[in-house]
Structure formats: C-alpha cells, structure tokens
Amino acid sequence: MFLVHKGLNEMEQREPRKSREDRPLLGTRTAADPVLHNVACRTDLSDHVLSAGPRYLPKDLSCSTVSSLGDYTSGVLLFGINKGTGQSSRIRKNRPVRVYHITGRLGCATENHLPDSRVTMRANHRHVSADRISGLAASMQASHQRKMFELCGVDLQTQEAYEMACRGLLRPANENQPIVYGIKLIHFDRPHFTLELHSINETQDYLTALVHDLALELRTAAHCSQLRCVRHAHFDVRDSLLRNSWHLPGIIKNLRHQGDILRAHPQLLRQHRVVLKATY
C-alpha cells in the first residue's frame, strides 16, 4: 500500500483551496487613490501541501487479503483495496479451490518439514519411483474424497452422493477442516519431485506435513523444498502482479483486469454452496 499512496502523491496535485471568506489584505496608498487601500484575496495556506503534508496517507487505504500465504509460500495472493475489502470477504466465505505446485526433496526430513531447519532423519530413496508416488497420490486423493462424503453421512456408492457431487464441490462447514480435491505427480527427477494439489482450507504447515507423511508411506524421508500457489479460483499466476509492476499504473491496470474476471464469474461473490455437515 506504500507504493500506491506514494504513486498518488507523485501525480499532479490540486491547487490549495481558497479561504472560506476572502481575507482582505491592506496595501499601501497610491498617488492615484490616496484614500482607498488595495484589497487582495489570499489562498488558504493551511491547505498547501508544504504545510498540510501529502494529500494521501497510508491510513487512507485499507487492505484485506482473501487468504494469506505462509512465510515460505509464493504465488497468487488475492486482496482487496478499500471498497474491494467487501469483495475479498465474500470470496473468502465462498472458499474457492486453490492449486499448488509442491516440490519435495527425498532423502532427509527436517524439524519443520522445510529446508531451513535442522535435519532430523536421513533415509535411502533409491527404491522410490514416479509410479509409486503417483499410485500413493491417487490413493490419498480417494481417501480425501471418501472422507468428505463420510462427514456428510452419505455413502459414496449411493445415488444421493452422486446428486450431491452434481451440485458442486463439497465444502467443509468450518475453515479449520483442510480438504484435498486432487493430487497428482507432475514432475520427477530424483531426488526432487513436484506434486500438483487442489485444496480448500489448507495451510503451509498442512502442505509441508503432507509431503513428510507421503515420504513415510514410501518408506523414506522427504521435506518440502518449494511451495507455490499457481491458481486461486479463476485467478491465475500468469495474471498476477509481478514485483517490477508494483507501481500505480501497474496496480490500476491489474485491478481492471481482476474486475473483468469477477464480472465473468459472478459465482465467486455469490453462490449456493454444498457444505459438509458438522459432526459435533
């Protein structure tokens, strides 16, 4: 937001306003008019930028994120500015799916499942193949899908489950229940592998722990070396604002583009959701 209000203050500023009442300024007498005094109008110096300060202050701009990323996560981050904070709140309540590319490194596990912490375990990973990772990822995806219907009290093999699936994605009743809708292997180059994951209510800790648990199922160890959000609902990483565009013209252009996406997909702001029933 500092860059926004800085850019606004660098634009051409309005003239200082006039005084509410013209203030007379008495001048010296002249030879032609020895009796009357010259009267001049004075602008309100208290409104001048040199005395009042910048026209725009940081407190004039409010910002609200739809869903924050972790300290070690890069990628798409949605947030609203001023009137857009209401839209960001509605998108957050609709809980759209986010897509991640998670890169793991086989061979060693760390204390917090990230590469900057102490190594706690080392293991051989020569027996791990792309097929084994893909098979386990498919099994984890099926387990999560079955869990969603179980929380609804519906058998996955029934007509009721089919009708619920046709109505849309099943969304958890609270924000503390992570749900994985899809997970697959998209790249494997030992010791590195990359998973594409579609989820709701996930956190950085949950995603890094998922890589750790996946490695344990493969009888090895791994930690998360890279975590990147590539899409949030219909907002793609290719449409995001890069660091070299963090200036006022770039921000205004990006706001217009994201507004076009919202108009093309109004369900992001208002939709009938299928939710999981609380079991407690």
Side-chain angles (χ1 to χ4, degrees):
M1 291 303 98
F2 169 77
L3 296 174
V4 176
H5 91 268
K6 179 182 178 181
L8 290 172
N9 288 324
E10 289 175 350
M11 297 178 67
E12 183 178 354
Q13 303 293 320
R14 64 173 177 82
E15 294 295 329
R17 61 174 179 263
K18 299 296 183 179
S19 302
R20 182 173 301 178
E21 296 179 358
D22 293 339
R23 300 176 182 177
L25 179 64
L26 301 181
T28 58
R29 295 184 180 183
T30 61
D33 188 6
V35 178
L36 297 178
H37 297 277
N38 293 330
V39 179
C41 294
R42 175 180 298 179
T43 58
D44 189 353
L45 295 181
S46 65
D47 188 50
H48 197 280
V49 68
L50 295 180
S51 57
R55 297 297 186 195
Y56 299 93
L57 300 175
K59 65 180 181 180
D60 296 328
L61 300 172
S62 58
C63 175
S64 174
T65 59
V66 174
S67 183
S68 60
L69 300 176
D71 294 337
Y72 297 89
T73 306
S74 63
V76 179
L77 176 63
L78 295 179
F79 61 92
I81 301 176
N82 285 3
K83 292 182 179 180
T85 56
Q87 293 180 333
S88 65
S89 177
R90 280 181 281 174
I91 295 176
R92 186 187 310 115
K93 292 178 181 179
N94 283 334
R95 300 173 195 166
V97 175
R98 288 204 287 186
V99 182
Y100 289 87
H101 284 176
I102 308 171
T103 300
R105 180 183 174 87
L106 297 166
C108 61
T110 60
E111 197 169 25
N112 62 354
H113 314 314
L114 291 167
D116 66 337
S117 62
R118 182 173 60 89
V119 175
T120 58
M121 179 175 61
R122 297 183 185 276
N124 182 25
H125 56 82
R126 294 185 181 276
H127 62 282
V128 179
S129 64
D131 291 338
R132 294 194 62 181
I133 297 178
S134 297
L136 182 57
S139 176
M140 295 175 65
Q141 176 178 325
S143 176
H144 275 267
Q145 291 177 350
R146 184 167 54 253
K147 177 183 177 181
M148 289 186 291
F149 287 96
E150 288 176 353
L151 289 175
C152 290
V154 177
D155 188 354
L156 185 61
Q157 304 299 325
T158 61
Q159 178 68 19
E160 184 180 0
Y162 172 77
E163 292 175 355
M164 292 181 64
C166 290
R167 292 170 55 192
L169 289 177
L170 294 175
R171 290 173 172 81
N174 58 74
E175 297 181 358
N176 300 321
Q177 180 66 54
I179 295 294
V180 175
Y181 293 98
I183 177 172
K184 64 179 181 179
L185 179 71
I186 60 174
H187 180 72
F188 181 76
D189 183 15
R190 190 183 290 110
H192 299 283
F193 65 94
T194 303
L195 301 172
E196 183 177 277
L197 184 138
H198 301 243
S199 61
I200 284 179
N201 291 342
E202 77 293 330
T203 62
Q204 178 179 274
D205 293 339
Y206 176 81
L207 297 176
T208 55
L210 185 143
V211 172
H212 174 76
D213 295 339
L214 183 143
L216 293 180
E217 292 290 334
L218 295 171
R219 299 183 182 278
T220 184
H223 65 273
C224 182
S225 60
Q226 186 180 39
L227 192 55
R228 184 167 178 248
C229 178
V230 297
R231 189 167 72 250
H232 192 157
H234 296 278
F235 301 94
D236 195 87
V237 68
R238 292 170 295 183
D239 303 322
S240 59
L241 197 62
L242 301 179
R243 192 178 185 89
N244 56 7
S245 299
W246 288 3
H247 46 70
L248 187 60
I251 292 173
I252 296 300
K253 180 180 178 181
N254 190 263
L255 284 173
R256 290 173 178 170
H257 178 66
Q258 307 313 324
D260 293 338
I261 295 177
L262 286 176
R263 284 187 289 272
H265 304 281
Q267 70 276 10
L268 289 174
L269 300 176
R270 182 178 300 170
Q271 64 180 344
H272 298 289
R273 294 173 294 147
V274 180
V275 299
L276 299 180
K277 297 178 182 178
T279 57
Y280 52 88

